[in-house]
Amino acid sequence: MTESQRLLADYVENGSEAAFRELVALYVNLVYSTALRLVEGDAHLAEDVTQTVFVRLSGKARLLSRETMLGGWLHRDTCFVASKTMRRERRRQARERQAALMHAQTDHS
């Protein structure tokens, strides 16, 4: 059993917050650097993605098998969350552009 598997088991079986903190410390750089790359260098979005990934891990930890390679799971989930975040961000920007255009058109009338 790897260190991360042991920590995850301790968190799942005993609700150990210390074990979860240790997991976060082990993987936060991996998750953040992956997120930063996927959100095109936006540090604030990368922080949001990182936080979301670890919140999701805390909620799904009981569902993961003991053989799960946590680094791989976190990387895949980071990709998923970052993709979803970027879609949301692009939609928001498109709505803002549309609102600005509508506002500019009403100003010229």
Side-chain angles (χ1 to χ4, degrees), residues 90-103:
R90 285 185 194 105
R91 286 181 189 132
R92 183 190 61 77
Q93 290 171 353
R95 285 190 304 271
E96 286 178 357
R97 281 192 301 275
Q98 186 177 16
L101 278 171
M102 289 172 61
H103 182 69

Side-chain angles (χ1 to χ4, degrees), residues 47-64:
E47 289 170 3
D48 290 346
V49 168
T50 300
Q51 183 175 4
T52 300
V53 167
F54 285 109
V55 167
R56 288 168 54 93
L57 174 62
S58 72
K60 293 184 176 197
R62 293 183 188 330
L63 304 174
L64 300 178

Side-chain angles (χ1 to χ4, degrees), residues 1-6 8-9 23 27 57 60-76:
M1 181 179 271
T2 66
E3 178 67 7
S4 60
Q5 289 169 327
R6 185 189 63 74
L8 188 60
L23 279 172
Y27 288 103
L57 174 62
K60 293 184 176 197
R62 293 183 188 330
L63 304 174
L64 300 178
S65 93
R66 288 189 177 270
E67 290 79 36
T68 297
M69 298 305 297
L70 192 56
W73 187 91
L74 287 166
H75 183 269
R76 186 183 61 207

Side-chain angles (χ1 to χ4, degrees), residues 9-72:
D10 189 21
Y11 173 68
V12 167
E13 294 164 11
N14 305 314
S16 172
E17 290 183 24
F20 192 79
R21 274 194 306 272
E22 224 174 306
L23 279 172
V24 171
L26 282 172
Y27 288 103
V28 70
N29 290 336
L30 167 77
V31 171
Y32 179 77
S33 63
T34 301
L36 188 61
R37 179 174 47 83
L38 294 170
V39 298
E40 301 168 356
D42 186 320
H44 295 293
L45 282 179
E47 289 170 3
D48 290 346
V49 168
T50 300
Q51 183 175 4
T52 300
V53 167
F54 285 109
V55 167
R56 288 168 54 93
L57 174 62
S58 72
K60 293 184 176 197
R62 293 183 188 330
L63 304 174
L64 300 178
S65 93
R66 288 189 177 270
E67 290 79 36
T68 297
M69 298 305 297
L70 192 56

Side-chain angles (χ1 to χ4, degrees), residues 80-107:
F80 172 76
V81 172
S83 173
K84 194 172 167 183
T85 299
M86 289 304 289
R87 272 194 310 273
R88 185 186 71 231
E89 190 64 19
R90 285 185 194 105
R91 286 181 189 132
R92 183 190 61 77
Q93 290 171 353
R95 285 190 304 271
E96 286 178 357
R97 281 192 301 275
Q98 186 177 16
L101 278 171
M102 289 172 61
H103 182 69
Q105 288 173 350
T106 58
D107 284 349

